Amino acid sequence: MIKNILVTGGAGYIGSHVIVKLHEKGYNPIIIDDFSNSDKSVLDGLKKITGKEFKLYEGDILDQNLLNQVFTEFNIDGVIHFAAKKAVGESVEKPLLYYKNNVSGLVSLLESMTKNGVTSLVFSSSCTVYGQPDKLPVTEESPKQPANSPYGNTKQIGEEIIEDLVNSNTPLTAIALRYFNPVGAHPSAEIGELPLGIPNNLVPFITQTGAGLRDHLTVYGNDYETSDGTCIRDYIHVMDLADAHVSALSCLEEQSGNSHFDVINVGTGKGNTVLEVIKSFEKVSESNLNYQIGSRRPGDIEKIYAQVDKSQKVLRWETQHSLDEALRDAWNWQKKLSNI
Ligand code: NAD
Ligand code: UD1
């Protein structure tokens, strides 16, 4: 029987790619999104890729009536929870907005799931919970560091809320996926990342600079203790990340009936410097990127990349796409957006 999966934030960057994968694997995704950080054009992209119009509830996950309506209208087998605000800087300026949306939003969702007997959850967490780890690659057992922003704190609190609920008598099986740095787009270039305003993240800034929307990229520091002095991250293709969610759902299905909570790193296991990402972009775009070395960005982590043993073992999943493919797909998406 086809399984109905509720995807909160399903119109967003990661959510939209997961919708495609769910459809490919024979699930029926149902979207809730308030379009606070996405555009309805994503629905056209999804239709072009899949040929399907997905059921969409336009609204806020804080709206219990809306959630209860969804759970009443559909027999929901599992929930993937993306809906959250994610701009680190904004969270420092407006902490209550972040605690309300990300923490109260999660509580609202869990209340409605509990009320309606829905017991499987995949939660979007982040490698930000590790801060700068003492040892690399970072494992799931690495201690969490105090969050350096309200945004980061909402991910730590979110994991704790879910764990507390699992440890209560409430039937719930949940997996928190700690994403490293998602990049790239669907290879068709029909969906991708749509940053509002000036991007904070590296890859959209690179592709916008390549497209002439930004004059130059500033590399935030080249005096770190890394091979070329620039910071190291674990960049994962968004299609690989999307696959990990489908694997997580299969895991939850196998565990269903047992209250259980697990956290799993989702990365490639490989770190790349900022200059390596720029080189990859220059290779796939066959162009030179205009960049300058600037000062360090306050609060930046020097280096982090995932240990992937647990994701390989528990999710029976591993990444398929290279950094070059991610940059190629991000660039194709940018070219489409910019009519190049
Ligand atoms: P995104 O902003 O593109 O997608 C989030 C979607 O949720 C948007 O479509 C937005 O309109 C919607 N939304 C937000 N608040 C809502 C609410 N209260 N009710 C209904 N819809 C709401 O972000 P993304 O990059 O796709 O990230 C998805 C999740 O993954 C988030 O929880 C984010 O914190 C987490 N995450 C993202 C990254 C990253 O680098 N992109 C890294 C680690 C974790
Ligand atoms: C960001 C988020 C973090 C989130 C993570 C995963 C911030 C401060 N942090 O961090 O909470 O968990 O993404 O998605 O936003 N860089 C430049 N020039 C630029 C932009 C970035 O040199 O114009 C460098 C940064 O210094 C960093 C790397 O590129 O070394 C990646 O930066 P970014 O894409 O912002 O991701 P994170 O720093 O990992």
Side-chain angles (χ1 to χ4, degrees):
M1 209 174 65
I2 293 181
K3 296 210 157 61
N4 295 320
I5 305 298
L6 176 62
V7 185
T8 75
Y13 172 43
I14 302 169
S16 56
H17 292 82
V18 169
I19 298 289
V20 172
K21 286 284 178 187
L22 287 171
H23 172 74
E24 281 172 6
K25 301 282 171 165
Y27 289 96
N28 179 35
I30 292 140
I31 302 171
I32 294 189
D33 205 298
D34 64 0
F35 294 97
S36 53
N37 197 38
S38 46
D39 190 272
K40 290 199 177 139
S41 58
V42 73
L43 304 170
D44 301 329
L46 287 174
K47 183 148 190 222
K48 283 196 183 127
I49 297 169
T50 64
K52 205 176 165 235
E53 270 173 40
F54 298 99
K55 177 72 186 172
L56 164 77
Y57 291 85
E58 183 173 350
D60 191 330
I61 52 162
L62 283 151
D63 179 351
Q64 280 278 308
N65 290 335
L66 177 67
L67 290 177
N68 289 331
Q69 185 193 343
V70 180
F71 288 123
T72 309
E73 288 180 2
F74 283 90
N75 189 8
I76 298 287
D77 297 284
V79 177
I80 308 183
H81 178 43
F82 295 108
K85 293 196 164 289
K86 63 166 181 178
V88 175
E90 184 188 49
S91 80
V92 176
E93 313 259 305
K94 299 176 186 167
L96 293 183
L97 181 68
Y98 275 68
Y99 289 117
K100 186 167 181 190
N101 200 64
N102 296 8
V103 178
S104 304
L106 171 66
V107 171
S108 167
L109 176 68
L110 291 169
E111 273 179 352
S112 190
M113 285 174 65
T114 306
K115 186 170 164 190
N116 291 282
V118 178
T119 59
S120 291
L121 175 71
V122 181
F123 175 65
S124 295
S125 189
S126 167
C127 66
T128 190
V129 302
Y130 299 117
Q132 175 61 68
D134 295 336
K135 281 195 204 138
L136 289 170
V138 65
T139 75
E140 290 79 357
E141 279 71 45
S142 302
K144 292 195 237 173
Q145 307 278 350
N148 64 3
S149 71
Y151 167 73
N153 209 17
T154 67
K155 293 298 170 192
Q156 298 208 1
I157 295 170
E159 287 189 3
E160 285 163 14
I161 289 172
I162 296 167
E163 188 166 20
D164 286 346
L165 191 61
V166 166
N167 289 336
S168 71
N169 285 328
T170 310
L172 179 66
T173 316
I175 295 179
L177 298 179
R178 290 179 176 162
Y179 311 153
F180 282 66
N181 289 55
V183 291
H186 190 272
S188 66
E190 295 294 352
I191 55 171
E193 191 168 5
L194 265 180
L196 296 178
I198 302 172
N200 295 310
N201 295 111
L202 179 63
V203 171
F205 208 107
I206 289 178
T207 57
Q208 289 198 5
T209 306
L213 297 171
R214 313 274 155 219
D215 175 64
H216 67 276
L217 170 83
T218 302
V219 174
Y220 295 138
N222 67 349
D223 56 352
Y224 288 98
E225 284 188 27
T226 61
S227 56
D228 59 26
T230 64
C231 292
I232 290 178
R233 298 286 184 277
D234 184 335
Y235 296 94
I236 175 170
H237 196 301
V238 68
M239 296 309 295
D240 280 330
L241 178 60
D243 259 337
H245 289 77
V246 179
S247 301
L249 279 181
S250 307
C251 261
L252 291 175
E253 278 163 32
E254 285 163 21
Q255 293 166 351
S256 98
N258 306 316
S259 285
H260 188 66
F261 176 60
D262 222 345
V263 293
I264 303 178
N265 286 344
V266 187
T268 66
K270 188 173 179 301
N272 285 103
T273 66
V274 177
L275 293 180
E276 284 167 351
V277 178
I278 293 173
K279 277 199 195 85
S280 171
F281 172 77
E282 290 182 327
K283 183 171 136 194
V284 300
S285 66
E286 297 174 342
S287 66
N288 289 322
L289 187 77
N290 188 15
Y291 70 89
Q292 295 172 2
I293 305 295
S295 46
R296 290 182 175 199
R297 179 169 70 177
D300 247 342
I301 303 297
E302 181 171 83
K303 47 186 156 195
I304 184 164
Y305 49 94
Q307 203 206 68
V308 293
D309 297 25
K310 186 167 179 185
S311 59
Q312 288 180 354
K313 189 166 159 240
V314 178
L315 298 180
R316 296 186 295 275
W317 159 92
E318 51 189 61
T319 53
Q320 306 289 332
H321 300 287
S322 65
L323 184 64
D324 285 351
E325 286 170 64
L327 269 294
R328 179 203 63 196
D329 293 336
W331 179 229
N332 284 338
W333 165 243
Q334 183 66 57
K335 284 197 289 187
K336 173 153 194 207
L337 283 179
S338 302
N339 289 318
I340 296 175

